[in-house]
Amino acid sequence: MSTMDFANLRLLAVFATVVDLGSFAAAARKLNTSRSRVSEQVATLETVLDVRLLQRSTRKLTVTSEGRNVYEQAQQLPDILQKVESITHPEIPSGRVAITMNHDTAHKRILPILASFQAQYPEVHLDLILSDDKLDFIDDQIDLGIRVGATMDDSMIARPLHEERLALFASPSYLEQVGMPKTIEALENCRWVTLIQTSFDDVLRMRENDVPLEIRPKGFYRCNAPLMMQQMVVNGLGIGALFPSMVQQEVNAGQLVNVMPSIASDTLVLALVYPSRRQMPQRTRVVIDYLLSADMFSGKA
């Protein structure tokens, strides 16, 4: 079995370049390094192989017979390594990146910036995996995810995109039926639309003027999809706890009204999450950098 380290392939490529060009200096210019560095790398290769590859003199280099045989095997390496480099570190990022998020985030925040992303990175193609459930990154072959209030294990990195509190909203048509609630009791007597993931035990844990508060609706719909929940509230089916930034258009259009503004949730974090790994493809890195820099929550999207 060979005892040669694969890391020495680059040394072989340097040696082949020296033989091709006939001198350390010419090879150094092509490899964008110094003559002494090239000479050192060839000497290291000779030590590894325990054989003289080049005879050096003040005037010229002569390839030994062993060196000639090694060169015949190694002469393709510079081109091979250059092709590998172009694949792993392309000048233009390219390839597919799978990213998962819920329907709400996809429609309200990602869709408006897709054209801008495409213009900046035309060779990077996104697979948008929309799900209101938390998918497994490994099993479902997902590169990135956008999640709200997610607890990450040690194998995941979470980069905050946005922080916000839920507020209470209802449609004008529903408020015309029941009147604007002004007390907690009145709120609990209203019909609600709740998100299954956040209304544990049919109790909404909120804050009133930053004091912990539990709201126990007497009648409510439950839904596991934030976007559907928003539309149910807009259509007059009850009061819902929603992110103000996600329903700004509906508020501006008069479709939703903030109910009891003194009540809000704890601060929730919308985060970009991905597996913790150092050797990240360039295509994935540019998507991460773009999403972290995009102003998705300015109200302009």
Side-chain angles (χ1 to χ4, degrees):
M1 184 171 63
S2 174
T3 60
M4 187 172 180
D5 193 325
F6 280 107
N8 293 316
L9 290 177
R10 187 170 293 278
L11 298 181
L12 282 167
V14 171
F15 167 68
T17 302
V18 172
V19 175
D20 282 338
L21 299 180
S23 73
F24 291 133
R29 286 192 294 272
K30 180 172 182 178
L31 298 173
N32 194 28
T33 187
S34 66
R35 182 189 182 284
S36 61
R37 177 60 178 155
V38 171
S39 178
E40 177 186 338
Q41 289 175 305
V42 173
T44 299
L45 179 62
E46 289 177 324
T47 299
V48 170
L49 298 177
D50 193 25
V51 68
R52 175 71 67 178
L53 301 175
L54 297 171
Q55 295 291 354
R56 301 155 175 82
S57 70
T58 56
R59 294 187 176 182
K60 66 177 181 178
L61 295 176
T62 302
V63 184
T64 66
S65 58
E66 291 83 5
R68 180 63 58 187
N69 291 334
V70 170
Y71 171 74
E72 289 177 0
Q73 303 302 318
Q75 60 183 325
Q76 299 300 321
L77 277 176
D79 288 339
I80 292 172
L81 291 178
Q82 185 175 6
K83 290 177 182 178
V84 170
E85 181 78 12
S86 67
I87 292 171
T88 57
H89 296 85
E91 292 184 9
I92 299 176
S94 63
R96 308 203 71 85
V97 177
I99 179 169
T100 183
M101 68 204 75
N102 63 31
H103 292 74
D104 183 23
T105 301
H107 284 270
K108 296 291 184 75
R109 297 302 163 201
I110 298 302
L111 182 59
I113 65 173
L114 284 180
S116 174
F117 176 82
Q118 184 182 50
Q120 189 167 340
Y121 300 105
E123 299 302 319
V124 177
H125 307 290
L126 301 180
D127 292 338
L128 302 178
I129 314 299
L130 305 191
S131 175
D132 294 307
D133 297 321
K134 294 177 183 178
L135 304 182
D136 186 281
F137 279 55
I138 304 302
D139 290 346
D140 296 302
Q141 298 184 336
I142 293 171
D143 300 297
L144 304 170
I146 298 177
R147 292 178 174 172
V148 178
T151 300
M152 295 295 106
D153 58 38
D154 292 338
S155 68
M156 303 293 288
I157 292 175
R159 305 284 299 277
L161 292 171
H162 180 65
E163 295 183 358
E164 193 171 0
R165 294 184 174 193
L166 296 167
L168 305 184
F169 293 91
S171 70
S173 62
Y174 179 70
L175 294 175
E176 284 178 6
Q177 298 175 35
V178 301
M180 176 66 76
K182 299 183 183 300
T183 66
I184 302 305
E185 182 181 4
L187 269 180
E188 292 181 332
N189 286 327
C190 289
R191 189 171 62 245
W192 282 71
V193 181
T194 65
L195 189 65
I196 292 174
Q197 295 92 317
T198 60
S199 56
F200 304 106
D201 304 322
D202 301 332
V203 176
L204 280 83
R205 291 169 174 81
M206 308 289 283
R207 289 179 173 271
E208 185 174 20
N209 295 320
D210 229 18
V211 177
L213 168 70
E214 290 187 351
I215 300 174
R216 302 175 183 273
K218 294 180 179 178
F220 51 87
Y221 291 98
R222 289 192 297 187
C223 179
N224 72 337
L227 185 60
M228 180 63 179
M229 177 189 167
Q230 289 175 22
Q231 295 304 309
M232 292 171 73
V233 176
V234 168
N235 280 274
L237 294 176
I239 295 175
L242 308 172
F243 283 120
S245 69
M246 290 293 191
V247 294
Q248 189 60 54
Q249 291 181 353
E250 289 80 359
V251 171
N252 292 342
Q255 296 176 302
L256 288 177
V257 176
N258 189 192
V259 176
M260 295 187 69
S262 61
I263 295 178
S265 71
D266 288 328
T267 299
L268 298 175
V269 178
L270 186 76
L272 179 64
V273 300
Y274 48 92
S276 176
R277 58 172 182 250
R278 294 180 182 177
Q279 291 78 24
M280 179 176 290
Q282 188 181 21
R283 62 183 181 274
T284 305
R285 172 57 58 189
V286 299
V287 176
I288 291 173
D289 291 343
Y290 186 87
L291 292 178
L292 289 174
S293 65
D295 195 6
M296 293 185 287
F297 295 88
S298 64
K300 299 176 183 178

